Amino acid sequence: MGLGDITRAGVLAAVAECQGLGRETFRRRYGFGRALTYVLVVDGDSYDSKAIAGVAHLYSVGTLLSADDFSGGARTVAHRLRALGFAVEDGSIAADRPQQAEPQILLQPRGGARLRGAQNFAKSVHQGIRISDIQDVLGDQATTLNALYPDGIARLWGATPTAQANNEKVRALRDRRVGDDVYFYTANHFFARARILHLFTSSPVARRVWGADSDNATWEHIMALGDVEEFPTPVLAAPVLRRMNVRAPLWSLTLRSPESYRSVLPLLPAKSRPVVPSPLTRPSATADQLTAEGLLERLGSLRTHRQPGSRTPSRHQPLALLWAISRISADRPRLTPWALFRTEVSPLLAEFGLPGSKVTPEYPFWHLRGSDLWEVHGMERDAGTAPGTGALDTHQPVAGLTRTSAELLRDPLIRLQAVIKLCSTYFDGVDQRELLNRVGLAGYATADGLVDEDEDADGQEGAAATERASGPAARRTRTSSQLVRDAAIATRVKELHGHACQICETRLQYKRRPYSEAAHIRGLGTPHDGPDELPNLLCLCPNHHVLFDGLEIYVDVDGVVRHTHGDESVGRLRQRNGHPIDEAHLDYHRTLCELSRIMRS
């Protein structure tokens, strides 16, 4: 794949996103510098040619081209854009634009249990902070953060001030800059990295996000980070530190030069493709005012086609929307080219569409615009009531959820409510469990979600059961990526409750030791994406853990544990001082049980 795969519709979609983000934020999100030789000109406005081409490739064929992928240089990019009918100007900004600075490397200790390092990283970097939750303390930083994070989720990390005059930490705080790469360190390993998008100092923001340490200091020197890459296998730090002349173990925030950074790159994981955020377009006034309630209302009142003599609405648009929601859940781009939409949605229409209905993916691709939740780039709006597949194949337009609806659907609870709305409104009589599995939302079947996607994926256990042999059981090698849980938090919740189940108060003994299980209320796996923190945990016996994860029981708003199917009371959830439970997580689990009731009915 290369520049030849870029379509005109893909370029227009990339331009629309750049309009919504602004050129600087657009470049930062996708890792490009300023255009020094050629700029794309659309409707009198200038755009960075390489950045537009790289993102246009994403919308044309589904993969992003990075700045390093343009082997032919800016001239080749310009040639391709001109071949697609766009105007490209030469040398319009080269004279007054400095070269982008090469990144330094910032070594950042995460901090141990005393400083709540793991919890803070999970909260503000892995999960992110809702800008709306800190809006009142942001002051003049609000505009910048809202521009950097159009999805409303900021990735923040902070450092406490120091009274020293010129130590490593002072120099790092003073000399770090936007564009530097941050490597997070704990237990003699580097486990994640990110790029600095913005730097600011704010004690009120830090106290709201992280609180204060035992000396009543807070992490007020704040970095706003780009997409965070957590390494599947942590990297041993000693060889890296030794080459940069940094003492091990790493105790202090430490900054090293671009030259030093280059020297250790062979010891670090190769940079993966950027995790592509859902692209943005300039919203209409109506779309920009969309709320969660408005989103759900529109999902429940789609202008669907009805067959002659039937009151049953067509399932084409709802199926396309479920497919689009699954892309948001999987962090895939919200806009997709027609060819990909047709390939992935057509089998869903054939399997789950109304009996006797035709497989016409062009219908939802085009007509979902009437919901105000969907947009199409690359074809004029007056192209007819519905362009045929021939016209779509020729123009290869790009379509998907609008910016605002995609942003709302990134919230796990709103996304779950949207799935419930679509399933309960349009898919009566359908095997909804199989539908969600086929569309890419299988994680809603349990409270813990999809934790390890390749577990039992090859069906080897079933095959082995038919072949009896003497001797030890056969073994096979498996490579998997698993969520990292904080064992200290799980131990804490068990100790707080004396290993007694919060539902039945059973205390088990196993191998002469107390035994209980820590259950996440909102699961860590996809698509729930819950946090690994104490307010998201319950101490349960194995029986009630299975029932809770299997969505057979839930906790109602009054703290009563009930059966999902029938609502009979099981008892009251027992609570203890020192163990706060986040009601929002219980609400999410209740809503998940509502979906389970719908799927069983």
Side-chain angles (χ1 to χ4, degrees):
M1 294 185 181
L3 288 173
D5 298 302
I6 294 174
T7 64
R8 181 175 177 84
V11 173
L12 292 173
V15 166
E17 177 185 357
C18 188
Q19 289 172 343
L21 282 173
R23 285 177 65 178
E24 183 177 358
T25 303
F26 181 79
R27 290 194 304 265
R28 285 178 179 174
R29 285 173 76 87
Y30 291 103
F32 287 90
R34 291 186 179 93
L36 299 177
T37 310
Y38 296 100
V39 292
L40 172 69
V41 180
V42 178
D43 295 332
D45 293 326
S46 298
Y47 303 90
D48 302 280
S49 56
K50 278 191 176 182
I52 292 294
V55 179
H57 193 271
L58 170 69
Y59 298 144
S60 301
V61 295
T63 57
L64 177 74
L65 289 181
S66 71
D68 297 330
D69 291 328
F70 296 102
S71 57
R75 186 179 299 276
T76 306
V77 174
H79 177 76
R80 177 57 183 165
L81 293 174
R82 286 172 176 150
L84 292 171
F86 294 100
V88 181
E89 295 183 353
D90 297 346
S92 59
I93 59 173
D96 58 353
R97 297 295 192 190
Q99 291 283 347
Q100 190 172 20
E102 196 173 354
Q104 304 174 102
I105 182 171
L106 184 67
L107 309 177
Q108 172 68 70
R110 186 193 66 185
R114 185 177 64 85
L115 296 175
R116 306 189 300 276
Q119 296 95 312
N120 287 342
F121 183 88
K123 176 182 180 181
S124 66
V125 178
H126 178 80
Q127 182 181 354
I129 300 296
R130 288 187 177 280
I131 296 175
S132 59
D133 291 344
I134 58 174
Q135 191 83 27
D136 59 319
V137 293
L138 278 175
D140 58 4
Q141 298 298 327
T143 300
T144 302
L145 290 187
N146 280 303
L148 287 174
Y149 303 104
D151 60 357
I153 305 295
R155 313 287 174 179
L156 304 179
W157 189 256
T160 55
T162 176
Q164 299 293 323
N166 196 31
N167 62 5
E168 284 279 11
K169 185 173 183 179
V170 169
R171 291 191 292 271
L173 291 175
R174 180 189 64 212
D175 297 333
R176 63 184 178 172
R177 63 197 181 203
V178 170
D180 290 343
D181 285 340
V182 182
Y183 282 74
F184 287 91
Y185 169 97
T186 190
N188 300 314
H189 288 79
F190 293 112
F191 67 94
R193 67 181 161 204
R195 180 152 289 184
I196 300 176
L197 300 183
H198 180 56
L199 294 165
F200 65 101
T201 301
S202 174
S203 178
V205 171
R207 289 184 182 274
R208 177 68 63 82
V209 174
W210 301 293
D213 65 14
S214 57
D215 298 322
N216 199 34
T218 191
W219 295 266
E220 61 192 55
H221 298 288
I222 300 173
M223 299 181 289
L225 302 174
D227 293 316
V228 179
E229 182 183 357
E230 297 184 43
F231 304 141
T233 302
V235 178
L236 186 64
V240 179
L241 298 176
R242 188 163 50 247
R243 184 169 294 187
M244 292 192 296
N245 196 28
V246 177
R247 181 178 298 178
L250 183 69
W251 293 110
S252 172
L253 187 68
T254 301
L255 183 70
R256 286 295 183 263
S257 68
E259 294 76 19
S260 185
Y261 188 11
R262 285 199 303 271
S263 74
V264 299
L265 282 175
L267 305 177
L268 298 168
K271 286 206 171 185
S272 62
R273 297 273 184 190
V275 178
V276 180
S278 292
L280 309 174
T281 60
R282 180 176 293 162
S284 66
T286 302
D288 200 36
Q289 298 167 5
L290 185 65
T291 64
E293 292 75 15
L295 170 73
L296 297 175
E297 181 181 350
R298 293 179 189 186
L299 290 176
S301 56
L302 298 172
R303 301 173 185 172
T304 56
H305 173 72
R306 284 174 169 77
Q307 295 178 344
S310 172
R311 293 185 176 183
T312 306
S314 167
R315 295 174 183 158
H316 282 43
Q317 291 189 40
L319 282 167
L321 285 169
L322 280 176
W323 171 83
I325 290 171
S326 76
R327 292 180 62 84
I328 300 300
S329 175
D331 285 330
R332 298 175 68 191
R334 66 180 175 90
L335 297 178
T336 53
W338 156 248
L340 179 61
F341 180 94
R342 182 181 189 178
T343 298
E344 295 192 2
V345 174
S346 291
L348 298 175
L349 303 181
E351 185 172 353
F352 298 102
L354 287 177
S357 63
K358 296 181 179 179
V359 177
T360 52
E362 65 275 14
Y363 177 83
F365 185 88
W366 184 255
H367 284 294
L368 269 170
R369 295 176 309 153
S371 67
D372 286 330
L373 304 174
W374 191 266
E375 60 190 40
V376 179
H377 297 274
M379 292 193 75
E380 297 297 328
R381 292 185 66 89
D382 59 357
T385 55
T389 55
L392 294 172
D393 289 341
T394 299
H395 293 279
Q396 281 299 321
V398 175
L401 292 163
T402 63
R403 174 188 63 83
T404 309
S405 57
E407 287 176 8
L408 288 169
L409 288 164
R410 282 197 191 90
D411 181 292
L413 178 58
I414 296 174
R415 188 166 63 235
L416 173 56
Q417 291 170 334
V419 171
I420 290 175
K421 175 63 73 173
L422 289 169
C423 286
S424 61
T425 305
Y426 303 102
F427 295 104
D428 186 35
V430 173
D431 183 345
Q432 295 181 14
R433 191 176 297 273
E434 178 60 21
L435 167 61
L436 296 184
N437 180 56
R438 287 279 289 105
V439 85
L441 294 170
Y444 286 125
T446 65
D448 50 357
L450 298 179
V451 178
D452 188 352
E453 293 186 358
D454 71 347
E455 186 174 353
D456 297 335
D458 53 11
Q460 292 288 332
E461 282 79 357
T466 63
E467 301 176 10
R468 302 295 181 182
S470 61
R475 296 178 180 271
R476 67 179 185 278
T477 301
R478 185 196 301 271
T479 300
S480 64
S481 175
Q482 295 184 343
L483 292 164
V484 178
R485 294 178 171 86
D486 191 333
I489 300 175
T491 300
R492 175 66 174 156
V493 75
K494 296 174 186 179
E495 291 175 345
L496 281 169
H497 293 275
H499 291 275
C501 176
Q502 287 182 254
I503 295 176
C504 65
E505 300 195 26
T506 297
R507 284 183 172 87
L508 296 175
Q509 290 286 321
Y510 178 68
K511 294 183 178 180
R512 299 182 180 179
R513 300 180 62 183
Y515 180 82
S516 59
E517 296 181 355
H520 286 89
I521 302 169
R522 189 178 121 206
L524 305 187
T526 303
H528 312 313
D529 300 328
D532 192 20
E533 61 185 19
L534 188 61
N536 190 35
L537 283 177
L538 297 176
C539 177
L540 300 178
C541 67
N543 284 349
H544 282 115
H545 190 176
V546 168
L547 293 174
F548 192 85
D549 279 358
L551 307 177
E552 296 295 333
I553 57 175
Y554 69 95
V555 182
D556 71 13
V557 293
D558 296 317
V560 176
V561 182
R562 296 185 179 278
H563 286 290
T564 299
H565 306 283
D567 272 345
E568 297 92 349
S569 172
V570 178
R572 178 170 291 276
L573 185 72
R574 181 175 48 79
Q575 301 198 34
R576 285 280 177 88
N577 291 335
H579 178 203
I581 298 176
D582 192 330
E583 177 61 29
H585 298 322
L586 290 174
D587 185 38
Y588 183 90
H589 185 269
R590 283 193 290 270
T591 309
L592 197 58
C593 289
E594 181 184 343
L595 176 60
S596 178
R597 281 193 291 267
I598 293 171
M599 289 193 294
R600 183 176 291 190
S601 61

mmCIF file with all atom_site columns, all heavy atoms in Angstrom, residues 556-571:
data_model
loop_
_atom_site.group_PDB
_atom_site.id
_atom_site.type_symbol
_atom_site.label_atom_id
_atom_site.label_alt_id
_atom_site.label_comp_id
_atom_site.label_asym_id
_atom_site.label_entity_id
_atom_site.label_seq_id
_atom_site.pdbx_PDB_ins_code
_atom_site.Cartn_x
_atom_site.Cartn_y
_atom_site.Cartn_z
_atom_site.occupancy
_atom_site.B_iso_or_equiv
_atom_site.pdbx_formal_charge
_atom_site.auth_seq_id
_atom_site.auth_comp_id
_atom_site.auth_asym_id
_atom_site.auth_atom_id
_atom_site.pdbx_PDB_model_num
ATOM 1   N N   . ASP A 1 556 ? -29.134 -3.134  43.121 1.00 0.00 ? 556 ASP A N   1
ATOM 2   C CA  . ASP A 1 556 ? -30.043 -2.064  42.724 1.00 0.00 ? 556 ASP A CA  1
ATOM 3   C C   . ASP A 1 556 ? -29.654 -0.746  43.393 1.00 0.00 ? 556 ASP A C   1
ATOM 4   O O   . ASP A 1 556 ? -28.692 -0.675  44.178 1.00 0.00 ? 556 ASP A O   1
ATOM 5   C CB  . ASP A 1 556 ? -31.508 -2.440  42.990 1.00 0.00 ? 556 ASP A CB  1
ATOM 6   C CG  . ASP A 1 556 ? -31.878 -2.467  44.478 1.00 0.00 ? 556 ASP A CG  1
ATOM 7   O OD1 . ASP A 1 556 ? -31.101 -1.961  45.315 1.00 0.00 ? 556 ASP A OD1 1
ATOM 8   O OD2 . ASP A 1 556 ? -32.970 -2.977  44.802 1.00 0.00 ? 556 ASP A OD2 1
ATOM 9   N N   . VAL A 1 557 ? -30.393 0.311   43.100 1.00 0.00 ? 557 VAL A N   1
ATOM 10  C CA  . VAL A 1 557 ? -30.028 1.649   43.570 1.00 0.00 ? 557 VAL A CA  1
ATOM 11  C C   . VAL A 1 557 ? -30.129 1.775   45.082 1.00 0.00 ? 557 VAL A C   1
ATOM 12  O O   . VAL A 1 557 ? -29.565 2.701   45.682 1.00 0.00 ? 557 VAL A O   1
ATOM 13  C CB  . VAL A 1 557 ? -30.904 2.731   42.890 1.00 0.00 ? 557 VAL A CB  1
ATOM 14  C CG1 . VAL A 1 557 ? -30.606 2.800   41.407 1.00 0.00 ? 557 VAL A CG1 1
ATOM 15  C CG2 . VAL A 1 557 ? -32.392 2.468   43.144 1.00 0.00 ? 557 VAL A CG2 1
ATOM 16  N N   . ASP A 1 558 ? -30.828 0.847   45.728 1.00 0.00 ? 558 ASP A N   1
ATOM 17  C CA  . ASP A 1 558 ? -30.960 0.880   47.186 1.00 0.00 ? 558 ASP A CA  1
ATOM 18  C C   . ASP A 1 558 ? -29.967 -0.051  47.872 1.00 0.00 ? 558 ASP A C   1
ATOM 19  O O   . ASP A 1 558 ? -30.041 -0.250  49.089 1.00 0.00 ? 558 ASP A O   1
ATOM 20  C CB  . ASP A 1 558 ? -32.384 0.493   47.590 1.00 0.00 ? 558 ASP A CB  1
ATOM 21  C CG  . ASP A 1 558 ? -33.408 1.500   47.080 1.00 0.00 ? 558 ASP A CG  1
ATOM 22  O OD1 . ASP A 1 558 ? -33.138 2.706   47.173 1.00 0.00 ? 558 ASP A OD1 1
ATOM 23  O OD2 . ASP A 1 558 ? -34.454 1.060   46.574 1.00 0.00 ? 558 ASP A OD2 1
ATOM 24  N N   . GLY A 1 559 ? -29.065 -0.652  47.100 1.00 0.00 ? 559 GLY A N   1
ATOM 25  C CA  . GLY A 1 559 ? -28.066 -1.539  47.683 1.00 0.00 ? 559 GLY A CA  1
ATOM 26  C C   . GLY A 1 559 ? -28.528 -2.955  47.884 1.00 0.00 ? 559 GLY A C   1
ATOM 27  O O   . GLY A 1 559 ? -27.855 -3.750  48.554 1.00 0.00 ? 559 GLY A O   1
ATOM 28  N N   . VAL A 1 560 ? -29.671 -3.311  47.308 1.00 0.00 ? 560 VAL A N   1
ATOM 29  C CA  . VAL A 1 560 ? -30.190 -4.678  47.415 1.00 0.00 ? 560 VAL A CA  1
ATOM 30  C C   . VAL A 1 560 ? -29.682 -5.500  46.231 1.00 0.00 ? 560 VAL A C   1
ATOM 31  O O   . VAL A 1 560 ? -29.732 -5.042  45.083 1.00 0.00 ? 560 VAL A O   1
ATOM 32  C CB  . VAL A 1 560 ? -31.730 -4.688  47.442 1.00 0.00 ? 560 VAL A CB  1
ATOM 33  C CG1 . VAL A 1 560 ? -32.262 -6.121  47.460 1.00 0.00 ? 560 VAL A CG1 1
ATOM 34  C CG2 . VAL A 1 560 ? -32.227 -3.911  48.658 1.00 0.00 ? 560 VAL A CG2 1
ATOM 35  N N   . VAL A 1 561 ? -29.180 -6.692  46.509 1.00 0.00 ? 561 VAL A N   1
ATOM 36  C CA  . VAL A 1 561 ? -28.710 -7.594  45.463 1.00 0.00 ? 561 VAL A CA  1
ATOM 37  C C   . VAL A 1 561 ? -29.906 -8.387  44.952 1.00 0.00 ? 561 VAL A C   1
ATOM 38  O O   . VAL A 1 561 ? -30.638 -9.002  45.744 1.00 0.00 ? 561 VAL A O   1
ATOM 39  C CB  . VAL A 1 561 ? -27.622 -8.543  45.992 1.00 0.00 ? 561 VAL A CB  1
ATOM 40  C CG1 . VAL A 1 561 ? -27.104 -9.437  44.868 1.00 0.00 ? 561 VAL A CG1 1
ATOM 41  C CG2 . VAL A 1 561 ? -26.476 -7.748  46.615 1.00 0.00 ? 561 VAL A CG2 1
ATOM 42  N N   . ARG A 1 562 ? -30.099 -8.368  43.623 1.00 0.00 ? 562 ARG A N   1
ATOM 43  C CA  . ARG A 1 562 ? -31.273 -9.021  43.033 1.00 0.00 ? 562 ARG A CA  1
ATOM 44  C C   . ARG A 1 562 ? -30.868 -9.917  41.871 1.00 0.00 ? 562 ARG A C   1
ATOM 45  O O   . ARG A 1 562 ? -29.842 -9.697  41.231 1.00 0.00 ? 562 ARG A O   1
ATOM 46  C CB  . ARG A 1 562 ? -32.274 -7.976  42.538 1.00 0.00 ? 562 ARG A CB  1
ATOM 47  C CG  . ARG A 1 562 ? -32.859 -7.105  43.648 1.00 0.00 ? 562 ARG A CG  1
ATOM 48  C CD  . ARG A 1 562 ? -33.942 -6.181  43.101 1.00 0.00 ? 562 ARG A CD  1
ATOM 49  N NE  . ARG A 1 562 ? -34.522 -5.363  44.157 1.00 0.00 ? 562 ARG A NE  1
ATOM 50  C CZ  . ARG A 1 562 ? -35.474 -5.774  44.987 1.00 0.00 ? 562 ARG A CZ  1
ATOM 51  N NH1 . ARG A 1 562 ? -35.979 -6.995  44.846 1.00 0.00 ? 562 ARG A NH1 1
ATOM 52  N NH2 . ARG A 1 562 ? -35.937 -4.970  45.936 1.00 0.00 ? 562 ARG A NH2 1
ATOM 53  N N   . HIS A 1 563 ? -31.711 -10.912 41.615 1.00 0.00 ? 563 HIS A N   1
ATOM 54  C CA  . HIS A 1 563 ? -31.546 -11.737 40.423 1.00 0.00 ? 563 HIS A CA  1
ATOM 55  C C   . HIS A 1 563 ? -31.910 -10.904 39.193 1.00 0.00 ? 563 HIS A C   1
ATOM 56  O O   . HIS A 1 563 ? -32.915 -10.191 39.186 1.00 0.00 ? 563 HIS A O   1
ATOM 57  C CB  . HIS A 1 563 ? -32.441 -12.976 40.489 1.00 0.00 ? 563 HIS A CB  1
ATOM 58  C CG  . HIS A 1 563 ? -31.960 -14.020 41.450 1.00 0.00 ? 563 HIS A CG  1
ATOM 59  N ND1 . HIS A 1 563 ? -30.835 -14.778 41.231 1.00 0.00 ? 563 HIS A ND1 1
ATOM 60  C CD2 . HIS A 1 563 ? -32.463 -14.418 42.658 1.00 0.00 ? 563 HIS A CD2 1
ATOM 61  C CE1 . HIS A 1 563 ? -30.657 -15.608 42.257 1.00 0.00 ? 563 HIS A CE1 1
ATOM 62  N NE2 . HIS A 1 563 ? -31.626 -15.404 43.137 1.00 0.00 ? 563 HIS A NE2 1
ATOM 63  N N   . THR A 1 564 ? -31.112 -11.016 38.165 1.00 0.00 ? 564 THR A N   1
ATOM 64  C CA  . THR A 1 564 ? -31.366 -10.258 36.935 1.00 0.00 ? 564 THR A CA  1
ATOM 65  C C   . THR A 1 564 ? -32.670 -10.686 36.277 1.00 0.00 ? 564 THR A C   1
ATOM 66  O O   . THR A 1 564 ? -33.438 -9.855  35.795 1.00 0.00 ? 564 THR A O   1
ATOM 67  C CB  . THR A 1 564 ? -30.195 -10.460 35.949 1.00 0.00 ? 564 THR A CB  1
ATOM 68  O OG1 . THR A 1 564 ? -29.001 -9.983  36.559 1.00 0.00 ? 564 THR A OG1 1
ATOM 69  C CG2 . THR A 1 564 ? -30.443 -9.727  34.641 1.00 0.00 ? 564 THR A CG2 1
ATOM 70  N N   . HIS A 1 565 ? -32.919 -11.961 36.265 1.00 0.00 ? 565 HIS A N   1
ATOM 71  C CA  . HIS A 1 565 ? -34.107 -12.490 35.597 1.00 0.00 ? 565 HIS A CA  1
ATOM 72  C C   . HIS A 1 565 ? -35.147 -12.854 36.664 1.00 0.00 ? 565 HIS A C   1
ATOM 73  O O   . HIS A 1 565 ? -35.158 -13.955 37.214 1.00 0.00 ? 565 HIS A O   1
ATOM 74  C CB  . HIS A 1 565 ? -33.738 -13.694 34.741 1.00 0.00 ? 565 HIS A CB  1
ATOM 75  C CG  . HIS A 1 565 ? -32.630 -13.405 33.783 1.00 0.00 ? 565 HIS A CG  1
ATOM 76  N ND1 . HIS A 1 565 ? -32.806 -12.696 32.614 1.00 0.00 ? 565 HIS A ND1 1
ATOM 77  C CD2 . HIS A 1 565 ? -31.300 -13.670 33.864 1.00 0.00 ? 565 HIS A CD2 1
ATOM 78  C CE1 . HIS A 1 565 ? -31.644 -12.569 31.997 1.00 0.00 ? 565 HIS A CE1 1
ATOM 79  N NE2 . HIS A 1 565 ? -30.719 -13.142 32.734 1.00 0.00 ? 565 HIS A NE2 1
ATOM 80  N N   . GLY A 1 566 ? -36.008 -11.905 36.968 1.00 0.00 ? 566 GLY A N   1
ATOM 81  C CA  . GLY A 1 566 ? -37.039 -12.106 37.965 1.00 0.00 ? 566 GLY A CA  1
ATOM 82  C C   . GLY A 1 566 ? -37.004 -11.093 39.084 1.00 0.00 ? 566 GLY A C   1
ATOM 83  O O   . GLY A 1 566 ? -38.007 -10.859 39.754 1.00 0.00 ? 566 GLY A O   1
ATOM 84  N N   . ASP A 1 567 ? -35.854 -10.481 39.313 1.00 0.00 ? 567 ASP A N   1
ATOM 85  C CA  . ASP A 1 567 ? -35.701 -9.399  40.300 1.00 0.00 ? 567 ASP A CA  1
ATOM 86  C C   . ASP A 1 567 ? -35.905 -9.839  41.750 1.00 0.00 ? 567 ASP A C   1
ATOM 87  O O   . ASP A 1 567 ? -36.056 -8.996  42.633 1.00 0.00 ? 567 ASP A O   1
ATOM 88  C CB  . ASP A 1 567 ? -36.654 -8.234  39.990 1.00 0.00 ? 567 ASP A CB  1
ATOM 89  C CG  . ASP A 1 567 ? -36.026 -7.234  39.039 1.00 0.00 ? 567 ASP A CG  1
ATOM 90  O OD1 . ASP A 1 567 ? -34.799 -7.295  38.853 1.00 0.00 ? 567 ASP A OD1 1
ATOM 91  O OD2 . ASP A 1 567 ? -36.759 -6.411  38.478 1.00 0.00 ? 567 ASP A OD2 1
ATOM 92  N N   . GLU A 1 568 ? -35.882 -11.138 42.046 1.00 0.00 ? 568 GLU A N   1
ATOM 93  C CA  . GLU A 1 568 ? -36.001 -11.564 43.434 1.00 0.00 ? 568 GLU A CA  1
ATOM 94  C C   . GLU A 1 568 ? -34.775 -11.108 44.227 1.00 0.00 ? 568 GLU A C   1
ATOM 95  O O   . GLU A 1 568 ? -33.662 -11.104 43.727 1.00 0.00 ? 568 GLU A O   1
ATOM 96  C CB  . GLU A 1 568 ? -36.120 -13.095 43.538 1.00 0.00 ? 568 GLU A CB  1
ATOM 97  C CG  . GLU A 1 568 ? -37.360 -13.667 42.875 1.00 0.00 ? 568 GLU A CG  1
ATOM 98  C CD  . GLU A 1 568 ? -37.091 -14.049 41.431 1.00 0.00 ? 568 GLU A CD  1
ATOM 99  O OE1 . GLU A 1 568 ? -36.010 -13.671 40.923 1.00 0.00 ? 568 GLU A OE1 1
ATOM 100 O OE2 . GLU A 1 568 ? -37.950 -14.694 40.821 1.00 0.00 ? 568 GLU A OE2 1
ATOM 101 N N   . SER A 1 569 ? -35.009 -10.771 45.484 1.00 0.00 ? 569 SER A N   1
ATOM 102 C CA  . SER A 1 569 ? -33.930 -10.283 46.331 1.00 0.00 ? 569 SER A CA  1
ATOM 103 C C   . SER A 1 569 ? -33.047 -11.439 46.795 1.00 0.00 ? 569 SER A C   1
ATOM 104 O O   . SER A 1 569 ? -33.536 -12.504 47.170 1.00 0.00 ? 569 SER A O   1
ATOM 105 C CB  . SER A 1 569 ? -34.495 -9.550  47.554 1.00 0.00 ? 569 SER A CB  1
ATOM 106 O OG  . SER A 1 569 ? -33.467 -9.239  48.471 1.00 0.00 ? 569 SER A OG  1
ATOM 107 N N   . VAL A 1 570 ? -31.734 -11.184 46.774 1.00 0.00 ? 570 VAL A N   1
ATOM 108 C CA  . VAL A 1 570 ? -30.760 -12.141 47.292 1.00 0.00 ? 570 VAL A CA  1
ATOM 109 C C   . VAL A 1 570 ? -30.303 -11.719 48.682 1.00 0.00 ? 570 VAL A C   1
ATOM 110 O O   . VAL A 1 570 ? -29.921 -12.536 49.514 1.00 0.00 ? 570 VAL A O   1
ATOM 111 C CB  . VAL A 1 570 ? -29.542 -12.242 46.349 1.00 0.00 ? 570 VAL A CB  1
ATOM 112 C CG1 . VAL A 1 570 ? -28.489 -13.200 46.895 1.00 0.00 ? 570 VAL A CG1 1
ATOM 113 C CG2 . VAL A 1 570 ? -29.981 -12.671 44.963 1.00 0.00 ? 570 VAL A CG2 1
ATOM 114 N N   . GLY A 1 571 ? -30.368 -10.438 48.959 1.00 0.00 ? 571 GLY A N   1
ATOM 115 C CA  . GLY A 1 571 ? -29.893 -9.873  50.212 1.00 0.00 ? 571 GLY A CA  1
ATOM 116 C C   . GLY A 1 571 ? -29.373 -8.468  49.961 1.00 0.00 ? 571 GLY A C   1
ATOM 117 O O   . GLY A 1 571 ? -29.507 -7.925  48.865 1.00 0.00 ? 571 GLY A O   1
#
